[in-house]
Amino acid sequence: MSNSLIELAQDNTEGARERLFAQVSELVVSNLDQRTDRELAIFAEVIIKLYGVGSAKDRARLAKRLASQTNTPSELAKRLAEDNVNVAMPVLANCPVFSQEDLLDFVERLSASHLQVIARRSDLSPQISDVIAERGDRPVQRILAGNREIKLSRETMLKFVKLATEDVVLREDLCLRTDLSPTVCRQLLPLVNEETKKRLHGIIEGSLSQDQLNQIARLKALRREFGDALTTTDMELLWRDAERNGISISELMILLLQDGRFNHTIELLSARGRIAQKALKDAVYEGKLDLVMKTAAKAQLDTSTFALFAKVRCDHLKIPSARASEWTVAYKKHIESTASARQSRCGDFQAKRKEKKAKPGGERASRLAAM
């Protein structure tokens, strides 16, 4: 530590402490990528102790410099996020070190102004978005509805539809989302102009076959009749109830995916595909396609449901949606190849059975011919 910093540290006046905060802050952010974790931890500890004497200008400068850094000490990032919104804004908007639990904590504690910033983040889970929608005021809800980089849960979508009856701005943002379900589109139809109606009808019916439309109707009926049972988190119990009600694994998977319960679909798929849940979850998250395909095929998951699962996986992991198309094509080929191989084996088996049955008759015919 330089002599000037030592002198400032020994001076207990408010001005000296403020200058010490500014200089230590500058030390933290200079050559940040070359700092060891130990150095960063020490710097962060000092800054947090001095935080109360730092000027708003110095705190804001520190927040801006640290906002996009992946090695920012999390405790320092949290302290900055809790500051007034003018200081906290860049950290709340972009800082990558926050876990989903950290974000949930902020959402539950911080002000509406802070929520407006958090609602713009691209890494919000449906669960956190639900809390923002519940706690936030109307400006926060509008921002959340307009955030098309995240996926909203069915419950939040339906909540926003109700708000949209009286809020034109929120309604316009909601109608521009790319994750609108057919149910949400139908509920929006009476609220929008003719041009928007055409687009919503296109989402509902545009590229859907009659089979897909029938499936939508079937799923709507299942949700109405089976909805209460869907609230359980016990996948074994849920599957038993589904079997009793004649619901297929594919239909149940779709209902769960529509509700944003991605990890529950992995749990269900692991049970029906007879594989350890951790092994399948690791395969899904790490992109081990062969294992995921074999498990899905063993569970008798149809191709369209696998396609939806693959798409939700991309959304969940924040990876390009093109990966979902690749997985779907591969799964379709896997199913076709498996079916072809099974048919071939059956054909060989039948041929061998006929051959075995034909031998006695052939021998008798030969003896009769010899006579």
Side-chain angles (χ1 to χ4, degrees), residues 151-164:
K151 180 177 176 60
L152 298 179
S153 71
R154 179 175 179 272
E155 289 74 16
T156 291
M157 283 284 202
L158 295 176
K159 176 185 179 69
F160 283 171
V161 169
K162 292 180 180 179
L163 296 175

Side-chain angles (χ1 to χ4, degrees), residues 10-268:
Q10 293 173 339
D11 187 339
N12 287 323
T13 64
E14 185 175 336
R17 305 293 280 180
E18 183 176 322
R19 291 196 300 277
L20 180 61
F21 177 89
Q23 292 187 31
V24 174
S25 297
E26 187 60 33
L27 275 175
V28 171
V29 297
S30 61
N31 300 318
L32 190 64
D33 55 344
Q34 298 177 16
R35 300 292 183 188
T36 66
D37 290 344
R38 177 61 179 160
E39 288 175 325
L40 287 174
I42 293 172
F43 281 135
E45 185 177 346
V46 172
I47 289 175
I48 290 172
K49 286 183 178 179
L50 294 170
Y51 201 87
V53 298
S55 70
K57 182 179 179 181
D58 288 330
R59 300 197 312 271
R61 184 185 299 114
L62 180 63
K64 186 175 181 180
R65 296 281 294 275
L66 294 178
S68 60
Q69 297 295 325
T70 58
N71 59 342
T72 299
S74 62
E75 290 305 314
L76 177 55
K78 290 176 186 177
R79 186 66 184 85
L80 290 164
E82 295 166 350
D83 208 324
N84 72 68
V85 73
N86 291 328
V87 172
M89 187 180 299
V91 174
L92 283 176
N94 300 308
C95 189
V97 305
F98 296 137
S99 66
Q100 293 295 300
E101 289 74 18
D102 293 332
L103 294 174
L104 181 60
D105 178 55
F106 294 153
V107 169
E108 291 176 339
R109 292 190 298 108
L110 300 182
S111 72
S113 297
H114 289 80
L115 291 187
Q116 287 188 32
V117 182
I118 298 172
R120 291 183 169 91
R121 288 184 68 107
S122 62
D123 59 348
L124 300 177
S125 68
Q127 292 75 18
I128 293 177
S129 299
D130 286 346
V131 181
I132 294 176
E134 188 63 32
R135 281 207 66 229
D137 55 16
R138 191 56 56 85
V140 170
Q141 292 166 340
R142 288 173 176 175
I143 292 168
L144 192 65
N147 185 348
R148 293 189 287 277
E149 296 185 58
I150 62 173
K151 180 177 176 60
L152 298 179
S153 71
R154 179 175 179 272
E155 289 74 16
T156 291
M157 283 284 202
L158 295 176
K159 176 185 179 69
F160 283 171
V161 169
K162 292 180 180 179
L163 296 175
T165 59
E166 300 176 353
D167 189 330
V168 176
V169 175
L170 188 145
R171 185 191 314 158
E172 291 176 350
D173 285 331
L174 188 60
C175 289
L176 290 173
R177 294 193 63 83
T178 57
D179 56 347
L180 295 176
S181 68
T183 299
V184 172
C185 288
R186 290 189 185 94
Q187 294 196 24
L188 285 170
L189 285 174
L191 309 177
V192 300
N193 59 33
E194 290 303 316
E195 183 179 349
T196 304
K197 280 183 181 178
K198 289 179 183 178
R199 192 166 57 80
L200 294 179
H201 275 301
I203 295 173
I204 296 169
E205 301 175 357
S207 60
L208 299 181
S209 67
Q210 188 58 50
D211 286 343
Q212 289 171 315
L213 291 172
N214 291 341
Q215 184 187 48
I216 290 171
R218 159 80 172 160
L219 291 172
K220 184 177 180 180
L222 288 179
R223 188 172 290 283
R224 183 174 61 249
E225 298 165 7
F226 190 64
D228 291 341
L230 282 172
T231 59
T232 182
T233 58
D234 186 335
M235 291 299 101
E236 184 177 350
L237 175 62
L238 181 60
W239 174 244
R240 288 201 300 268
D241 287 342
E243 279 191 309
R244 281 195 295 269
N245 286 272
I247 300 174
S248 70
I249 178 70
S250 293
E251 290 170 336
L252 186 55
M253 286 278 289
I254 291 173
L255 291 172
L256 291 173
L257 289 169
Q258 287 177 339
D259 288 346
R261 297 169 63 179
F262 180 65
N263 285 325
H264 279 151
T265 64
I266 295 176
E267 183 179 344
L268 178 63

Side-chain angles (χ1 to χ4, degrees), residues 279-297:
L280 180 59
K281 186 172 183 178
D282 289 345
V284 170
Y285 277 69
E286 295 169 13
K288 297 177 181 176
L289 177 56
D290 283 346
L291 181 56
V292 178
M293 287 195 304
K294 289 176 182 176
T295 305

